[in-house]
Amino acid sequence: MPDPVLDVQRILDLDRAHVWHPYGPMPGQQEPLVVESAAGVRLKVAGAGELIDGMSSWWSAVHGYNHPVLNEAVRGQLDRMSHVMFGGLTHEPAVRLAKRLVDITPEGLEHVFLADSGSVSVEVAVKMCLQHWRSLGRPEKRRMLTWRGGYHGDTWQPMAVCDPQGGMHHLWQGVLPQQVFADLPPAGFDAYDETYAQHLRDLVGRHAHELAGVIVEPVVQGAGGMRFHSPRYLRALREACDAHDVLLVFDEIATGFGRTGALFAADHAAVTPDVMCLGKSLTGGYLTMAATLCTARVAEGIARGEVPVLAHGPTFMGNPLAAAVANASIDLLLGQDWQTEVKRIESGLRAGLAPAAELPGVRDVRVLGALGVVQLDHQADVEAATRAAVRAGVWLRPFRDLIYTMPPYITSDDDVARVGQAVRAAARASTEAQK
């Protein structure tokens, strides 16, 4: 029989014995913090008091925690039905969500496939591209093109389009499908290099005969390095794909719903992709759900094939609870002046992170929208950096050479300032640990 109440030490003992944490060994080598509850932008942590969440739970909890509007959406839907299969059945929350996404995403994205997670939405996107061309009698178009520095998830096809050297999936080289990689995009939202744009055009043209699609994270490369690039490269890719009959996919799992200062990163370039992936903030961080949207062209191509259906069907596709809270989260976001809030956080992060540029061991400091990054000249000491941030009253999760933050949009100016202090403290601690 399980213990009726687990004290903190019992939780940690059982965690170490049985729970496999993301990107960690088994058994774990670092003791995790035990979260007891969460409200607003604060996590109540056993033995550490309250911590400001500088991560939005991996960039998803844009409205913070325990939000009354989102809570009520889940409770109300729970009283009606928590789940029903989506094969042969439909329901209002999913239909309403699909229509809402079509209305707010770039013009031309008309069809919505609801998936379980961001990585699965990328699986679906790649499958759409491959099946589109197979249905049109062109099975040789089976490779994807992307640029280095990207990250698209941890399942099979997404791993294949992550950076093959600098990413987390080099272990699988020689096993994953072999894709086409462009050079790393030049750094800087306002930096544009026509030579690089021509490199993209040339590469698409050279491989067009075998390319099913091009997939990129628009404007911000997330877990592959938190790098920013010019939106003008998205227009160059759109032009190249149109010229050479290649589909264009934008992975907006991390950038969607306002994080970069535009509702979708594609809006910075006024470009419509053929396929778009959404996730993370879609449900406000409450439940796992993602979406893959496509144009009529993609759907009609698939429908012309020997197998005229998209060969994918998650068990929990269109989950009513997740769909209901996603609708509420989108309404909550668009019902307020979210752009001003994101701009306010951007200003606070710029002020708070700027002094980090003078710290030893810091290579670069950059901010875009509600995203701030301090890049070190060494691999971050995750344990030392995390301890320093916790002492400063903030939860951060550094990785590779990056100390970064993506706070919820409701984070106050004072709390944004504390996040900035914590990022600086984490950077100092990581550098000190190298000595």
Side-chain angles (χ1 to χ4, degrees), residues 13-51:
D13 290 345
L14 291 173
D15 183 280
R16 179 171 176 80
H18 303 297
V19 179
W20 208 324
H21 284 268
Y23 310 115
M26 188 71 226
Q29 296 177 350
Q30 295 181 3
E31 189 172 272
L33 300 181
V34 178
V35 179
E36 298 174 335
S37 62
V41 300
R42 283 171 165 73
L43 309 176
K44 184 179 179 182
V45 177
E50 290 188 339
L51 301 179

Side-chain angles (χ1 to χ4, degrees), residues 146 150-154 157-165 167-169 181:
T146 188
Y151 173 82
H152 299 277
D154 299 334
Q157 288 289 357
M159 286 198 299
V161 289
C162 293
D163 190 293
Q165 271 82 45
M168 293 180 281
H169 306 310
F181 288 89

